[in-house]
Amino acid sequence: GQSISDLYSYFVSGSAIISGFTEAMSLNGNVWDIVCYLIVACILLGSLFYEKNIASIKLKLFLFAVFFTYLFLAFKAGFVRHDIHALASASAILIAALFYALIIYSRRVIIISFGAFLTYTFISLTYPAQFIVDRIKLTYLLVWNGLKNNFLNDDRFKNEYYLALDRLNSKTKFPIFKGTTDIYSHNQAYLIASQNIWNPRPIFQSYSVYTSSLAQINKMHLLHKNSPDNLIFRLESIDGRMPSLVDGPSWPVFLSKYQPFAFENDTLYLHKKLSQTEMSTTENIQESFYAMGEEIAVPEKPALIFVEIDIRQRLFGKLMSLLYKPSQLQITLHLKDGSTRSYRIVSAMTQSEFLLSPLIENTTEFGLLYGGADYLPKGKVASFSIMPIGGDKQWEKNFKVTFKEMANPPKIDVSKIYHFDSIESQNAAQEISIAPQCMGYIDAINETSNSSSFDVYRLLSVRGWLVKSIEPKAELTDSILLVLTDNEGKNIFINTRPTLRPDLGTYFKNPLLDAAGYTAIAEVSKIKG
C-alpha cells in the first residue's frame, strides 16, 4: 500500500544511519583477510581490464565498473566491521570469480577461481561454524522448511511464533505496565514478548544512535506529549564505547521526566512523573580549544557535568572513511581517586552532549544518580585526554570542548529501589576461623578489580564466587557473608545474594558450580574505620 514516491523519504531518512556507520561500527580483525581479498580482487580486475577477448572498449569498461563496484561494496561490508561480517567479503570474492568464469574464456580463470576459493577458505576458518557447506545448508533448508510449512501446515508458523514469545518472556518476566513502554538500549524482542504496549523511539536500538542528528531525534521523542509512560533501562555499551555516549542527549530527559521505581536483574524500571515538572536543561559553563593528548581539567562543580567535543577529520581521514575506515579515538579519564579509565569514543556522537562526571559505568550507577552525587564520589572525573589509536594523521590536532552543567535531579530514597543488603555486628556466639585454602575469588569491589587499596564513602558493592570445595567433590556453601574487620579486631558481616555464574560450571566442568556466585550492595556510611 505504499507509494513509489515514499522511496525518496526512505533513502533520505536512511542516509543518517548510513553516513555514521563507518566510524561508529568499525572493528579491527585479521589483516591477512584483507590482504588475501585485495590480491584476488586486483588480479580479477586487472585480468578483466587487459582481457583481449573483449573487443569492445565500452563493454570492457562496463564490465570493469560492475565488478569494481561489487567488490568495493563487498569489501566495505565485510571489513569495516571486521568480525563475522568478513564472510560477506569471502562469499563475494567467490561469487565474483564464478561470474568471471561464466563470461571470460581464458586460462586466467583457473588462477582466479583457485585464489578466490583459497581466500574464502582462509577467511571462513576464523568462523568454522559458518563454513560454506553449513551456510548453504542453513539457507536452503530454511527456505524448504518455510515453503513446506506454509503449504502443508498453516498453524505451525503461528504456534512457533507463540512458543518463541513464551521462551523470550520466561527469560525476563517483565511485568505488564500501565500505558506505553520503551526499552533501552536494545533487546526489543523481550519487551515485545512481554505483551506490553511498545512505544519505540525513532532509532529504536541505541547503539545505532551514532550521529548528533539521530541523538536529537530520540531526545525529541522523549519530550513529546506521546512519549513512553514507562522505560525499561539497562546500560548496554558496545565495542568499548564510553557508556554515557549511549543516547547521551536523552539522559537529562531521563533524569527530569522519569523516576525509578524498581531495580531487578540489573534492569532499572522508570515511569514518567505525573506532575509536569520543569525540564532540567544543561547550561554552558566553559568553552575552549585543546590539542590531542593534552590533559583537560574538568570544572569543579557540585552539579552533573556534561560535555560536547567537536573533533574533525582531516582530508586524509575522510578519504580513509570513504575507502576503508578511519582510525579510532580513545578518551582516557583521570578520576579524583587516582584511577583511570579508557574508552572508545565516536566523533559524531561526542558532538552532542553526554555526561562526563560523575563517570557512569553500569545500570546500578545510573540509578544512583537519583540518590544524589554523594552516592557516586568515586566517579568524579578530574581531567581527561583524547588520542587517536593507529592513525593521528587522520584527525585535526585541535578540537573544541564545551563543558555544561545540569542541576542534580530531585533526590529519592534509592534504598527502596536497590534493597541494600543488611549489615550485622558480631555477637559472642559467632566465631571466625581462617580457612587453609580459599575456593573462591572477589572479582570486583565497587566495580574495580585487582585493587589492594580503595576508599568507600557510602556504598560498598562486591561480587565474586565462593564454594566449600571443588575436588574431589564439588560442594556449595549454605550462605556467604562479607566480613569487614577494623583495627581493633571487631567484625561486621554483610549478607550477600546468590547469583548465577555459568562460566564457573563450564570452566570446572561441573554444572553445580553455576550457583557459586554472590553479590552484595550495602550502605556503609555509618561504618567507621
Side-chain angles (χ1 to χ4, degrees):
Q2 299 181 64
S3 168
I4 192 71
S5 60
D6 293 334
L7 276 175
Y8 173 75
S9 298
Y10 170 76
F11 285 121
V12 169
S13 63
S15 62
I17 294 282
I18 295 166
S19 65
F21 181 92
T22 298
E23 182 195 352
M25 300 300 286
S26 65
L27 278 180
N28 295 324
N30 185 359
V31 68
W32 289 106
D33 291 350
I34 301 172
V35 171
C36 293
Y37 179 92
L38 290 177
I39 288 174
V40 177
C42 289
I43 292 173
L44 190 152
L45 292 171
S47 177
L48 187 65
F49 190 78
Y50 291 105
E51 179 56 52
K52 297 178 180 179
N53 293 331
I54 305 175
S56 170
I57 296 296
K58 289 183 178 179
L59 179 58
K60 185 180 289 188
L61 290 174
F62 171 76
L63 288 173
F64 183 88
V66 168
F67 274 86
F68 177 84
T69 303
Y70 175 68
L71 291 170
F72 174 69
L73 291 176
F75 173 81
K76 291 279 284 187
F79 299 129
V80 167
R81 189 166 182 81
H82 194 160
D83 49 14
I84 200 168
H85 291 81
L87 290 172
S89 300
S91 300
I93 200 71
L94 206 58
I95 292 169
L98 171 65
F99 277 91
Y100 182 88
L102 291 174
I103 61 173
I104 302 295
Y105 300 96
S106 170
R107 292 180 180 177
R108 288 189 292 268
V109 166
I110 299 173
I111 299 173
I112 293 169
S113 299
F114 183 67
F117 180 75
L118 287 180
T119 299
Y120 179 90
T121 304
F122 177 75
I123 296 175
S124 296
L125 286 175
T126 312
Y127 315 97
Q130 290 287 319
F131 199 62
I132 186 168
V133 176
D134 302 295
R135 299 183 73 195
I136 292 173
K137 181 180 176 181
L138 181 65
T139 300
Y140 293 104
L141 187 62
L142 284 173
V143 172
W144 166 246
N145 287 335
L147 290 171
K148 182 175 65 174
N149 293 336
N150 194 39
F151 288 107
L152 300 181
N153 190 347
D154 290 339
D155 293 331
R156 183 163 181 175
F157 279 135
K158 189 180 292 185
N159 294 336
E160 287 186 356
Y161 171 71
Y162 287 117
L163 284 172
L165 289 182
D166 289 340
R167 283 195 298 269
L168 288 168
N169 199 24
S170 65
K171 291 181 179 180
T172 53
K173 296 181 180 177
F174 291 148
I176 302 296
F177 300 110
K178 183 179 179 181
T180 62
T181 306
D182 197 8
I183 185 169
Y184 285 79
S185 65
H186 46 267
N187 286 318
Q188 278 70 21
Y190 293 116
L191 176 58
I192 295 169
S194 71
Q195 304 301 309
N196 279 288
I197 302 172
W198 185 27
N199 183 357
R201 55 203 180 277
I203 299 84
F204 63 90
Q205 292 185 306
S206 296
Y207 62 77
S208 293
V209 185
Y210 38 60
T211 70
S212 57
S213 62
L214 296 175
Q216 290 303 317
I217 291 170
N218 273 5
K219 178 181 178 179
M220 296 310 296
H221 171 73
L222 288 174
L223 292 172
H224 194 269
K225 63 179 180 179
N226 293 325
S227 59
D229 300 300
N230 309 282
L231 297 178
I232 300 172
F233 186 89
R234 185 179 291 170
L235 194 54
E236 299 165 314
S237 182
I238 67 168
D239 300 342
R241 294 180 192 170
M242 187 170 174
S244 57
L245 283 176
V246 180
D247 258 316
S250 294
W251 284 35
V253 188
F254 295 151
L255 297 171
S256 299
K257 289 191 63 176
Y258 291 87
Q259 185 167 315
F261 63 90
F263 179 82
E264 295 176 2
N265 299 321
D266 198 34
T267 302
L268 191 68
Y269 298 93
L270 306 101
H271 59 67
K272 191 159 54 176
K273 294 178 180 177
L274 296 177
S275 58
Q276 294 297 317
T277 55
E278 185 177 346
M279 171 67 189
S280 297
T281 56
T282 56
E283 297 181 3
N284 289 12
I285 54 174
Q286 186 178 312
E287 186 176 286
S288 188
F289 282 87
Y290 300 91
M292 289 289 182
E294 180 181 354
E295 190 167 340
I296 304 164
V298 177
E300 282 274 3
K301 293 279 185 176
L304 304 180
I305 303 298
F306 284 74
V307 69
E308 289 180 4
I309 307 173
D310 189 6
I311 306 173
R312 300 299 173 105
Q313 284 182 317
R314 292 177 174 172
L315 180 61
F316 177 57
K318 293 177 181 178
L319 188 63
M320 284 296 294
S321 296
L322 177 66
L323 298 178
Y324 179 38
K325 57 188 173 188
S327 59
Q328 296 180 1
L329 295 168
Q330 179 177 282
I331 186 170
T332 300
L333 306 172
H334 304 275
L335 305 186
K336 289 279 189 180
D337 64 3
S339 61
T340 60
R341 300 283 194 281
S342 293
Y343 296 101
R344 177 183 176 183
I345 58 172
V346 179
S347 64
M349 296 175 78
T350 62
Q351 290 171 10
S352 294
E353 64 187 16
F354 64 96
L355 182 63
L356 178 69
S357 181
L359 171 65
I360 302 299
E361 297 185 282
N362 52 57
T363 311
T364 301
E365 292 178 347
F366 176 84
L368 291 173
L369 285 172
Y370 291 90
D374 52 344
Y375 274 103
L376 296 159
K378 67 101 179 175
K380 283 282 186 180
V381 179
S383 62
F384 70 93
S385 59
I386 296 174
M387 278 295 292
I389 305 300
D392 56 352
K393 305 296 184 185
Q394 299 179 29
W395 300 94
E396 295 287 353
K397 183 179 179 181
N398 297 313
F399 54 89
K400 181 180 177 183
V401 177
T402 304
F403 290 102
K404 301 182 174 187
E405 68 173 345
M406 174 188 166
N408 286 288
K411 290 185 181 180
I412 65 170
D413 186 359
V414 292
S415 64
K416 295 179 180 179
I417 299 169
Y418 284 97
H419 306 297
F420 296 142
D421 295 295
S422 60
I423 301 175
E424 302 172 3
S425 297
Q426 183 179 8
N427 59 49
Q430 294 169 324
E431 293 184 8
I432 289 181
S433 60
I434 304 300
Q437 187 177 12
C438 179
M439 295 287 102
Y441 198 75
I442 295 176
D443 293 318
I445 300 173
N446 282 9
E447 296 305 319
T448 302
S449 59
N450 301 322
S451 177
S452 58
S453 177
F454 55 91
D455 291 323
V456 177
Y457 298 91
R458 188 158 188 174
L459 281 189
L460 174 66
S461 68
V462 181
R463 55 183 171 85
W465 64 276
L466 188 66
V467 295
K468 283 186 178 181
S469 64
I470 296 175
E471 293 178 345
K473 177 184 177 183
E475 188 177 358
L476 298 177
T477 61
D478 298 317
S479 63
I480 298 173
L481 299 174
L482 298 179
V483 185
L484 306 184
T485 307
D486 64 16
N487 292 334
E488 298 176 355
K490 180 184 176 182
N491 296 312
I492 293 175
F493 304 105
I494 299 177
N495 289 295
T496 70
R497 286 159 288 152
T499 58
L500 289 176
R501 287 292 301 270
D503 59 314
L504 295 173
T506 301
Y507 181 82
F508 291 110
K509 297 180 176 60
N510 190 332
L512 180 67
L513 299 179
D514 287 355
Y518 66 85
T519 184
I521 302 178
E523 217 283 11
V524 295
S525 58
K526 295 180 181 179
I527 299 177
K528 305 299 180 183

